[in-house]
Amino acid sequence: MQKLVTIFGGSGFIGRYVARRMAKAGWRVRVASRRPNEAHFVRMYGSVGQVEPVFANIRDDASVAAALTGASAVVNCVGILAPSGRNGFDAVQSEGAARIARLAAEAGIARMVQISAIGAAADSDSDYARTKAGGEAGVREHLPDAVILRPSIVFGPEDEFFNRFANMARRAPVLPVVGANTRFQPVYVDDVAAAVEAALAGKVDGGVYELGGPDTETFRELMHRMLRTIRRRALILPVPFFGARAMAWGLDLGQTITGGLFHNGLLTRDQVRNLARDNVASGEHPGFEAFGIVPTTMGAVLPGYLWRFRPSGQYAEIKDSAKNLRT
């Protein structure tokens, strides 16, 4: 019988790539999501019945245990960039990850991959980084041989980074950037999924792995790269941190006083704290080389999905070619 892997957050940005790879590798895949009705697209990743979305809330023992029933391995891709209602940083990234590991251990599941993030640290002043570290500690407590992956910022067709700023550049002549000199090491989403697949295949030992792409660039440089790719011009306006903190404070306050009716998906105080630190591999842990993976460059991927933000969209190449024709 085919082995079964349960992927929490399997319909999300990283999770869907993991689900696709595991299905192609011959595993049965259970995609655990809070909204399984919105995750039916994952069924297409495998043969009939091979990939199934199921309900699971990682804040609840019973639904997590049900999603783990019969599984041989588990992957936790659940993470948030900003808290919303009961889904706070501690509840999701720290307690949720520990809950999955505890119930997996009780079910006799030995293999687990936890998606964390570069910069995870128990003593961080960022709730995001602190709870990522808390999740790692909870996983190691119950499954000491788990593989923990810490990617830098992840890019790909469904990302919320390049797509977001490319859309802004299409609508406005100015791009405000917080942390313009902060360095990033963007990693392609399918490379992260390939590392998960290798980990579940037992190709690496348990432990922490930092996943950074081949290009290290500042936030400002990434915006210049994005603008060149979509063939647009915009003024990149560095926002000083004191101004960003004031702006984020106001937006967070708006979410609080409206009881969550206004969700601050623009800029939070915690995101400002994160943007003040470089997001690159520290060198203290192995990276892609341990998996035998050569990370993909941004230049090989970005044009394949950012073309839609070009002034002429899919016809940009044709128009450029036509300019070279002799009249």
Side-chain angles (χ1 to χ4, degrees), residues 114-202:
Q114 166 73 11
I115 304 296
S116 186
I118 283 180
D123 59 351
S124 175
D125 62 349
S126 161
D127 290 336
Y128 176 85
R130 175 183 57 78
T131 54
K132 280 292 188 182
E136 292 181 6
V139 168
R140 285 195 296 264
E141 177 184 352
H142 300 288
L143 292 172
D145 293 327
V147 172
I148 296 172
L149 304 181
R150 293 179 177 177
S152 182
I153 188 168
V154 183
F155 69 92
E158 303 87 0
D159 70 47
E160 296 184 4
F161 183 73
F162 285 113
N163 279 304
R164 177 181 182 182
F165 284 99
N167 189 45
M168 290 172 60
R170 182 172 61 179
R171 299 170 181 273
V174 178
L175 284 179
V177 173
V178 179
N181 295 320
T182 300
R183 297 184 304 143
F184 294 87
Q185 203 171 351
V187 56
Y188 180 41
V189 62
D190 197 46
D191 290 341
V192 177
V196 174
E197 180 187 357
L200 293 182

Side-chain angles (χ1 to χ4, degrees), residues 260-283:
L261 292 177
F262 163 72
H263 174 64
N264 182 12
L266 299 174
L267 183 68
T268 68
R269 287 171 292 175
D270 200 66
Q271 289 168 352
V272 173
R273 287 190 284 266
N274 276 317
L275 287 168
R277 301 184 183 87
D278 288 341
N279 194 261
V280 298
S282 66

